[in-house]
Amino acid sequence: MTTGITLNLQRHYLTIAEHMRTIISFDGEGRPIVAFRHGANYMRGLSGEVLRKRVLAPGQKERRKLDDAERRTILAELLAETERMIEQIETTAPLEARNWLERIRRWDVERLEAERERFRSVYKPISILPPDQYRALVLQATEGCSWNRCHFCTFYRDRAFRIHAPASFRDHIQRVKEFVGAGLGLRMAIFLGDANALIIPQPRLRELLQVVHEEFTIGPEANFKGIYAFLDIFGAERKMLAEYRELAAAGVRRIYLGLESGDETVFRLLNKPGSPAEAIEAVRTIKAAGIAVGIILLVGAGGERFAAEHVQHSLAVLAAMPLGPDDIVYLSPLIVPPDSPYLAQLQAYGSSPLPETAINRQLEELKRGARAVVSPGTKVVIYHIEEFVY
């Protein structure tokens, strides 16, 4: 008699499914990482946070981190489903899979919830990553943001900017490795945190990158393919071509810059450091060093008054950048936190927020326009910050 239950055992994860209606995957430690159940997708991060994504109605999606009660409930339900499925197949499962199933069974809701406190002892909050780095291993060479005054962003307001010394960074890395354990196999890259880690003065940055290489093997044939990081435009302008070439030699593969807007007025409204013109020059220098870039644009930035200028000048800036197949343009719909000064700035500039329908139209306009002005092969993708959980 068939149970309809299947196992998919890969090198670094195991998936158990029933008739493809319930699907749950686990990392090398046996922790649940992703699941599909009752039409909803769930992602559980190392932080212990659980994100739910589901379609509520045509054209309407939910992307939301579950609150404490919801999280505990769904974890209990997923573990119960897992146990029920394991009981039906454990006697016929291959030996290697049975060993993995035993690791899975060691976890209950209380142990999973205790991981949240362990995470906080290892990491400061990991506020955001680029979407292509959601599965990277974050190493916080810095904490916070050296600028931390952009009007639309409150990600790092809860902590002062700090650069690790080599000894404290090594301690952080070793605690990360112990915490992640066998789950390291799922991590394919190193992301150097936090907000603009590459602003670190080059002599100190050189020391910290050396620590990374002493703790991990990085390269095309290694599990970790490269090093990635954010950098603010004003910090990018400070580095010379020779310094970027040194970073490329150290394994830095892509640098992410928050351009946000190519329009000078919107740029000032957002209180971004640097300028769109400086962003162009920084990208040219970074690309000349052999490092790819990720350029982030905010959809809706500047509101109704500056909508046309935001699109026109942002596309002009992209067109002036030597972007190629290794580069990414991210279009991120602007979400304004209630405690952000952005709304007051909009009012001061005589503008108002774009309604959702107008944001969706601008997103499509930017997407079409960006694909028309960048080189063939450059990726242009949507960046929903609500979909992030680490």
Side-chain angles (χ1 to χ4, degrees):
M1 183 178 67
T2 179
T3 64
I5 297 171
T6 58
L7 284 176
N8 179 8
L9 178 58
Q10 299 295 319
R11 183 180 176 189
H12 298 301
Y13 68 92
L14 179 142
T15 299
I16 183 168
E18 184 175 31
H19 296 298
M20 304 308 289
R21 291 193 298 265
T22 299
I23 307 169
I24 310 173
S25 296
F26 305 85
D27 72 5
E29 292 288 330
R31 295 175 286 222
I33 48 174
V34 294
F36 175 80
R37 182 170 179 264
H38 295 168
N41 289 289
Y42 297 91
M43 292 179 286
R44 181 186 179 276
L46 285 172
S47 63
E49 298 289 342
V50 174
L51 177 76
R52 179 168 64 200
K53 294 169 55 180
R54 59 180 176 171
V55 176
L56 300 177
Q60 184 181 2
K61 292 183 180 180
E62 177 191 52
R63 303 175 180 92
R64 184 171 66 85
K65 289 182 183 178
L66 301 183
D67 64 29
D68 290 351
E70 292 171 318
R71 184 181 64 249
R72 294 179 70 96
T73 296
I74 195 61
L75 288 175
E77 291 175 356
L78 291 175
L79 292 177
E81 287 281 285
T82 300
E83 180 59 29
R84 182 183 59 78
M85 290 189 287
I86 289 176
E87 287 175 353
Q88 296 183 58
I89 61 167
E90 59 183 327
T91 58
T92 58
L95 177 60
E96 185 179 4
R98 274 182 272 168
N99 292 337
W100 204 304
L101 295 176
E102 285 306 308
R103 292 200 295 275
I104 292 170
R105 278 176 149 168
R106 294 172 191 156
W107 293 90
D108 57 22
V109 173
E110 294 307 317
R111 185 180 175 196
L112 288 173
E113 288 291 278
E115 289 278 280
R116 292 165 56 80
E117 190 59 38
R118 284 190 66 202
F119 180 88
R120 287 192 288 267
S121 73
V122 173
Y123 283 111
K124 297 295 184 184
I126 299 173
S127 300
I128 196 67
L129 293 176
D132 64 304
Q133 297 300 312
Y134 283 177
R135 286 290 180 190
L137 183 70
V138 175
L139 304 177
Q140 290 177 314
T142 65
E143 297 169 4
C145 174
S146 62
W147 175 249
N148 212 14
R149 295 193 290 277
C150 292
H151 287 144
F152 63 94
C153 176
T154 58
F155 281 145
Y156 305 99
R157 299 285 168 83
D158 62 342
R159 74 207 86 153
F161 182 69
R162 175 196 177 199
I163 299 174
H164 271 283
S168 63
F169 186 46
R170 189 184 301 276
D171 178 68
H172 166 69
I173 290 174
Q174 291 175 350
R175 288 185 291 119
V176 166
K177 291 165 74 173
E178 180 183 6
F179 173 68
V180 180
L184 280 173
L186 286 172
R187 308 290 162 171
M188 303 301 290
I190 300 292
F191 194 89
L192 209 62
D194 260 340
N196 51 349
L198 296 184
I199 201 172
I200 299 170
Q202 198 78 357
R204 171 58 58 83
L205 182 56
R206 187 180 300 124
E207 294 176 326
L208 298 181
L209 289 172
Q210 179 62 35
V211 172
V212 173
H213 281 276
E214 290 169 1
E215 294 289 337
F216 300 98
T217 301
I218 299 170
E221 305 304 319
N223 196 55
F224 294 101
K225 306 303 181 188
I227 300 171
Y228 301 77
F230 286 124
L231 181 58
D232 270 326
I233 293 166
F234 78 101
E237 275 286 284
R238 294 179 183 179
K239 290 193 183 294
M240 308 301 290
L241 177 59
E243 293 175 308
Y244 282 119
R245 285 177 171 158
E246 183 180 9
L247 296 183
V252 174
R253 295 290 170 257
R254 185 179 294 118
I255 296 173
Y256 302 85
L257 295 121
L259 172 62
E260 323 306 2
S261 178
D263 183 76
E264 291 279 0
T265 302
V266 175
F267 204 87
R268 291 195 300 274
L269 185 157
L270 297 171
N271 202 33
K272 288 288 297 183
S275 69
E278 289 174 342
I280 295 169
E281 290 306 311
V283 168
R284 288 174 177 168
T285 305
I286 291 167
K287 294 285 294 176
I291 299 174
V293 296
I295 305 299
I296 303 164
L297 285 171
L298 289 177
V299 182
E304 293 187 330
R305 178 182 174 187
F306 302 106
E309 292 88 347
H310 172 55
V311 171
Q312 176 187 350
H313 295 142
S314 294
L315 294 178
V317 169
L318 291 180
M321 292 177 171
L323 303 179
D326 293 329
D327 304 313
I328 305 174
V329 175
Y330 280 120
L331 305 176
S332 183
L334 177 60
I335 295 176
V336 182
D339 55 346
S340 160
Y342 173 74
L343 294 178
Q345 286 299 113
L346 270 187
Q347 188 175 18
Y349 276 74
S351 188
S352 56
L354 283 180
E356 184 176 357
T357 54
I359 285 182
N360 291 337
R361 286 197 301 270
Q362 189 178 97
L363 174 61
E364 292 305 314
E365 187 178 4
L366 282 168
K367 191 193 305 181
R368 289 192 304 271
R371 288 173 176 167
V373 301
V374 298
S375 300
T378 304
K379 299 177 186 67
V380 179
V381 295
I382 302 174
Y383 181 0
H384 287 291
I385 63 171
E386 321 99 294
E387 293 189 354
F388 174 68
V389 62
Y390 187 75

